[in-house]
C-alpha cells in the first residue's frame, strides 16, 4: 500500500507540471513556437550594452544590435556562449550577461526563460576559463579510469556553470575514438573501449545532473572513426550495423540510462544506418527510428552547429532546419543566418510541410527540460554567490588531484624518471607551443618550466614550435649543452617531421631527454630512442602541472592508455595496448 501511495504522490506533481507546460504551449503564437526551437550565438559581454565592435558584428550577422533586440525579434529559446563572441570574459560578467538574457526574454509577452549553453568539455575545448576550475579533458579522464573522478568533474563544473547562469553544457563527448587520425574528436573522447567510455559518460552525466545543469551527449550516432573534420567536410562512417551496435551505440545507451537531458547530432553519413546520403542530423531513420524508437530516448535532441560544412554540403541553409525538424530534432543550433532559418521553419508550417503539432512535440521537450532545471521558477544566477562557487581552492585542488591520476608514463629507460633535483637541477624545456586552450596560461613550454622551477629545478623555456625550423632546432641543441636534462613537449608528431628531427637531435646530444606528448598519446610511436616518454592528453595548466609533478617525483604516474598506440612502421601491430602504463 505504501509503495502505491508513494508512486501516486510522485505522479501528481509530474502531471500538474505537464498540464502547466501544455498550457504554455497552447497560448503561444506560431512565431514564438518557431523561435523557441533555436539556440543562437550573439556577440557581446552584455545583453543590452555590448561594445561597438560587437554591435557591428551583430548587425552584420544577425540584423540586430544586441541580444535583447534579438530576443524581441525572434523569441529564441536559447543562447550559446563563445569566447570569440566576447561572451565569456570573467565570471561576474558572464553571470550578468546570463541574467540580462533572462530579463530580456521574460520581459516579452508570454516570456519564457532561455537555455544558456556552452561547450565546456574541459581539456582542449573550454569556453569559460580562469578563474573558473578547469579539469583534464576526456581522454585524460579516460586514462585515469575513475568514474568517481568523472562524476566529480561534472558536479564541480556544473556548480560553477550554474553559478554564472549557464544551465546547459554541451558535454560529455560520447564518441569512441578508434581512429588515431581523427582530426576533430581525438582527445575529446574518453577512449577506444566502448564499455569504459560508456561508464565515464554516465558518471559525468550524473555529476552535471546533481548540479542542475543539463548535460549533452555528443555526437550521435558516433563521430569516433573519421579522418574528416565535419566543420570543414562531410565525413562518412563505414561501420556495419553490427559494429555500430558494439562500438558507437554503447556510450549513448549508457547516457540514456543515466538520464541524459540532451543528445547532440553529428553531421556525418553512416550508410549502414541510413543509405540516403543524408547526414545523421537530417536523417529520420537515425534520429527517430534508432535514437527515439530503438534506444527509447524522449529527451531533447539538438543539432551540432548548423554553420558546419558537414550539414551544408547537400542542402541549402533554408532547407537544413526544416529537414532537421522532420528528422526528429528539437533544437536548431547556431544557424549561419538566423533570419533565413527562422523564416524557413515558419514558412514550412504555413505551407503545410511541417505541422504545428510537430513543433509542439519539440516545444514540450524543451519546456520539460527548462522546468526540470528549475528555470520556469527562477532562471537567474545569484551574483553574490559567484565568488563563493567559481574557482574555489577546494575545486582547484580537486582538479589537481584528478589530473595527477591521468598522467601516463609510457617509456622510462634506465629509470630516468623521476628526475633528481641533485643530478638534473638545470632543465631545458623545449618544443611545441600550440595555441593555449581557452582560459589557460600558455605557452606550454613556459608553463612547464615555471612548474618545474616551483618544484626546485632551475628550468628555462625555449619554444621551438610545432614545425621547428632548422635554426630553432640548432638553437635547442646548443641550449641543451648547458642543461642537465631536457624536457621536450611534442604535439602530434608525424614521421619525418621537423618535431621528430628536433627530438632525435636532442637525444644525440647525450643529455637525458624526457618527451611529453601534450595532445595525442600516439606521438610515442614516432619517438624511438627517447629514454622517457609521458602523455598528458592536453596542454592546459592543470594537466601540465600534474605532468611536472610526475616528472619531479612528487606524485607517481598512474594513468593507463585509454587507446591503442600502433607501431609507426606497421599500423596493424599494437605497440602499446589499452591499459598500458608504467609507474614508480
Amino acid at each position: 500500500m505504501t509503495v502505491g501511495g508513494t508512486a501516486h504522490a510522485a505522479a501528481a506533481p509530474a502531471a500538474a507540471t505537464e498540464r502547466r507546460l501544455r498550457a504554455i504551449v497552447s497560448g503561444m503564437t506560431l512565431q514564438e513556437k518557431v523561435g523557441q526551437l533555436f539556440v543562437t550565438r550573439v556577440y557581446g559581454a552584455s545583453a543590452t550594452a555590448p561594445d561597438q565592435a560587437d554591435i557591428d558584428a551583430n548587425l552584420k550577422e544577425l540584423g540586430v544590435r544586441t541580444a535583447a533586440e534579438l530576443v524581441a525579434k525572434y523569441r529564441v529559446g536559447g543562447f550559446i556562449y563563445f569566447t570569440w563572441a566576447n561572451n565569456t570574459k570573467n565570471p561576474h560578467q558572464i553571470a550578468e550577461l546570463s541574467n540580462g538574457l533572462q530579463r530580456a526574454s521574460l520581459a516579452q509577452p508570454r516570456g519564457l526563460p532561455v537555455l544558456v549553453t556552452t561547450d565546456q568539455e574541459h581539456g582542449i575545448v573550454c569556453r569559460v576559463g580562469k578563474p573558473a576550475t578547469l579539469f583534464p579533458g576526456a581522454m585524460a579522464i579516460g586514462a585515469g579510469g575513475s568514474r568517481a573522478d568523472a562524476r566529480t568533474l561534472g558536479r564541480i563544473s556544473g556548480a560553477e556553470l550554474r553559478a554564472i547562469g549557464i544551465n546547459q553544457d554541451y558535454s560529455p563527448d560520447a564518441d569512441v575514438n578508434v581512429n588515431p587520425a581523427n582530426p576533430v574528436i581525438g582527445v575529446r573522447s574518453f577512449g577506444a573501449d566502448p564499455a569504459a567510455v560508456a561508464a565515464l559518460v554516465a558518471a559525468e552525466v550524473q555529476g552535471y545532473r546533481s548540479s542542475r545543469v543539463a548535460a549533452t551527449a555528443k555526437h550521435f550516432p558516433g563521430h569516433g572513426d573519421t579522418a574528416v573534420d565535419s566543420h570543414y567536410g562531410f565525413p562518412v562512417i563505414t561501420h556495419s550495423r553490427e559494429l555500430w551496435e558494439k562500438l558507437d551505440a554503447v556510450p549513448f545507451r549508457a547516457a540514456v540510462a543515466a538520464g541524459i537531458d540532451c543528445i547532440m547530432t553529428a553531421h556525418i553519413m553512416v550508410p549502414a544506418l541510413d543509405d540516403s546520403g543524408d547526414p545523421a542530423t537530417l536523417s529520420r531513420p537515425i534520429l527517430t527510428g534508432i535514437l527515439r524508437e530503438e534506444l527509447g530516448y524522449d529527451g531533447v535532441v539538438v543539432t551540432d552547429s548548423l554553420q558546419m560544412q558537414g550539414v551544408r554540403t547537400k542542402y541549402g541553409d533554408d532547407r537544413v532546419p526544416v529537414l532537421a525538424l522532420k528528422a526528429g530534432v528539437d533544437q536548431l543550433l547556431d544557424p549561419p543566418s538566423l533570419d533565413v532559418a527562422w523564416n524557413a521553419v515558419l514558412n514550412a508550417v504555413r505551407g503545410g510541410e511541417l505541422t504545428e503539432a510537430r513543433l509542439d512535440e519539440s516545444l514540450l521537450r524543451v519546456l520539460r527540460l527548462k522546468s526540470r532545471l528549475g528555470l520556469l521558477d527562477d532562471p537567474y544566477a545569484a551574483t553574490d554567490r559567484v565568488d563563493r562557487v567559481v574557482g574555489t581552492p577546494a575545486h582547484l585542488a580537486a582538479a589537481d588531484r584528478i589530473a595527477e591520476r591521468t598522467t601516463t608514463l609510457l617509456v622510462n629507460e634506465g629509470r630516468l624518471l623521476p628526475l633528481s633535483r641533485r643530478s638534473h637541477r638545470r632543465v631545458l624545456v623545449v618544443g611545441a607551443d600550440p595555441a593555449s586552450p581557452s582560459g589557460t596560461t600558455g605557452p606550454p613550454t613556459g608553463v612547464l618550466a615555471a612548474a618545474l622551477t616551483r618544484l626546485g629545478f632551475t628550468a628555462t623555456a625555449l619554444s621551438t614550435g610545432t614545425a621547428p625550423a632548422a635554426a630553432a632546432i640548432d638553437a635547442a641543441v646548443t641550449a641543451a649543452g648547458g642543461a642537465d636534462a631536457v624536457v621536450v613537449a611534442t604535439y602530434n608528431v608525424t614521421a619525418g617531421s621537423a618535431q621528430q628531427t628536433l627530438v632525435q637531435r636532442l637525444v644525440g646530444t647525450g643529455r637525458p631527454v624526457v618527451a611529453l606528448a601534450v595532445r595525442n598519446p600516439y606521438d610515442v610511436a614516432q619517438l624511438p630512442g627517447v629514454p622517457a616518454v609521458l602523455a598528458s592528453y592536453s596542454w592546459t595548466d592543470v594537466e601540465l602541472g600534474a605532468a611536472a609533478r610526475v616528472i619531479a617525483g612528487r606524485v607517481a604516474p598512474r594513468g593507463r592508455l585509454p587507446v591503442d598506440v600502433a607501431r609507426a612502421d606497421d599500423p596493424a601491430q599494437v605497440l602499446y595496448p589499452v591499459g598500458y602504463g608504467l609507474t614508480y
Side-chain angles (χ1 to χ4, degrees):
M1 192 70 188
T2 306
V3 173
T6 302
H8 179 74
T17 298
E18 187 70 10
R19 285 195 299 272
R20 178 189 182 190
L21 302 182
R22 289 181 181 275
I24 290 172
V25 171
S26 68
M28 294 170 69
T29 68
L30 175 58
Q31 288 89 339
E32 289 165 356
K33 290 179 178 182
V34 171
Q36 279 293 301
L37 303 184
F38 283 94
V39 179
T40 183
R41 69 194 179 280
V42 71
Y43 290 86
S46 163
T48 54
D51 293 342
Q52 187 61 48
D54 293 320
I55 291 174
D56 293 344
N58 283 329
L59 285 169
K60 180 181 178 182
E61 292 186 23
L62 299 161
V64 296
R65 292 165 52 84
T66 69
E69 289 180 14
L70 189 148
V71 168
K73 184 173 181 179
Y74 295 106
R75 302 299 297 274
V76 294
F79 287 88
I80 178 170
Y81 286 170
F82 292 107
T83 310
W84 50 259
N86 297 321
N87 303 140
T88 57
K89 292 178 180 295
N90 64 71
H92 283 281
Q93 168 269 319
I94 298 169
E96 291 292 351
L97 172 60
S98 301
N99 286 345
L101 296 176
Q102 300 294 0
R103 280 192 295 270
S105 188
L106 291 168
Q108 300 302 314
R110 298 167 299 281
L112 289 167
V114 292
L115 285 167
V116 181
T117 74
T118 199
D119 291 291
Q120 192 79 351
E121 295 178 14
H122 294 277
I124 69 170
V125 176
C126 260
R127 311 301 185 209
V128 180
K130 292 197 303 186
T133 305
L134 299 176
F135 285 89
M139 192 170 284
I141 298 296
S146 166
R147 284 177 286 183
D149 285 351
R151 198 175 298 112
T152 297
L153 183 159
R155 176 178 58 78
I156 292 176
S157 178
E160 296 197 7
L161 291 175
R162 185 77 191 215
I164 56 177
I166 296 173
N167 44 53
Q168 180 169 7
D169 190 8
Y170 292 139
S171 187
D173 191 303
D175 301 312
V176 182
N177 199 81
V178 293
N179 189 337
N182 194 323
V184 65
I185 305 301
V187 294
R188 296 168 62 195
S189 159
F190 288 110
D193 177 348
V197 173
L200 295 171
V201 164
E204 190 173 308
V205 168
Q206 291 160 359
Y208 277 108
R209 283 179 65 91
S210 72
S211 291
R212 298 182 82 201
V213 166
T216 305
K218 60 190 187 185
H219 308 80
F220 190 82
H223 209 318
D225 189 9
T226 170
V228 174
D229 184 341
S230 51
H231 289 85
Y232 309 110
F234 186 22
V236 179
I237 307 288
T238 57
H239 292 181
S240 67
R241 175 65 195 246
E242 181 183 28
L243 180 58
W244 178 83
E245 288 281 0
K246 290 180 179 176
L247 192 74
D248 306 283
V250 177
F252 289 101
R253 290 186 187 276
V256 173
I260 189 73
D261 290 298
C262 187
I263 290 179
M264 179 179 284
T265 67
H267 304 324
I268 58 174
M269 180 167 55
V270 189
L273 305 183
D274 178 1
D275 61 5
S276 68
D278 287 344
T281 298
L282 309 181
S283 168
R284 186 169 178 82
I286 290 175
L287 298 186
T288 297
I290 295 176
L291 180 56
R292 296 267 190 232
E293 295 170 2
E294 292 184 27
L295 271 61
Y297 177 66
D298 194 39
V300 172
V301 173
V302 63
T303 70
D304 205 344
S305 170
L306 296 182
Q307 294 203 64
M308 293 166 60
Q309 197 58 39
V311 78
R312 302 173 73 187
T313 54
K314 189 174 176 182
Y315 302 100
D317 292 339
D318 59 333
R319 293 299 299 152
V320 167
V322 175
L323 295 172
L325 290 170
K326 291 175 75 171
V329 158
D330 301 307
Q331 287 182 312
L332 302 156
L333 176 62
D334 197 27
S337 168
L338 179 59
D339 193 67
V340 167
W342 189 89
N343 279 294
V345 174
L346 184 66
N347 291 332
V349 178
R350 286 175 171 166
E353 185 178 5
L354 284 170
T355 66
E356 198 163 343
R358 168 66 193 88
L359 265 56
D360 291 352
E361 286 177 34
S362 288
L363 269 171
L364 279 167
R365 290 192 187 101
V366 172
L367 286 173
R368 287 181 195 124
L369 176 54
K370 291 180 178 181
S371 174
R372 195 155 60 245
L373 295 172
L375 302 181
L376 297 181
D377 301 314
D378 181 15
Y380 295 106
T383 52
D384 60 335
R385 294 189 65 246
V386 170
D387 293 332
R388 299 205 301 270
V389 176
V390 178
T392 65
H395 287 178
L396 296 171
D400 280 337
R401 285 195 301 271
I402 288 172
E404 288 170 355
R405 294 190 274 271
T406 68
T407 308
T408 307
L409 179 61
L410 299 171
V411 180
N412 194 19
E413 299 293 340
R415 296 189 175 180
L416 172 59
L417 293 179
L419 290 182
S420 162
R421 283 178 295 169
R422 287 187 295 276
S423 55
H424 301 108
R425 177 172 291 276
R426 295 171 302 167
V427 178
L428 174 67
V429 182
V430 302
D433 273 332
S436 188
S438 295
T440 62
T441 306
T445 52
V447 174
L448 270 172
L452 288 168
T453 297
R454 286 193 298 272
L455 292 166
F457 295 87
T458 303
T460 54
L462 177 64
S463 175
T464 49
T466 52
I473 294 174
D474 289 342
V477 169
T478 299
D484 300 317
V486 179
V487 175
V488 55
T490 67
Y491 182 94
N492 299 0
V493 181
T494 55
S497 66
Q499 280 191 75
Q500 193 180 55
T501 302
L502 168 69
V503 175
Q504 290 168 346
R505 290 276 308 279
L506 290 169
V507 171
T509 66
R511 292 291 187 269
V513 174
V514 178
L516 175 65
V518 298
R519 184 166 181 161
N520 288 334
Y522 312 110
D523 284 6
V524 65
Q526 303 288 352
L527 303 174
V530 179
V533 182
L534 305 109
S536 65
Y537 308 97
S538 183
W539 58 104
T540 57
D541 296 355
V542 70
E543 286 154 311
L544 294 174
R549 292 192 292 280
V550 167
I551 290 169
R554 293 295 179 91
V555 293
R558 290 173 56 183
R560 298 285 182 268
L561 277 176
V563 293
D564 286 332
V565 174
R567 289 176 53 134
D569 57 350
D570 184 2
Q573 297 293 317
V574 174
L575 182 64
Y576 299 106
V578 168
Y580 182 86
L582 305 173
T583 191
Y584 40 78

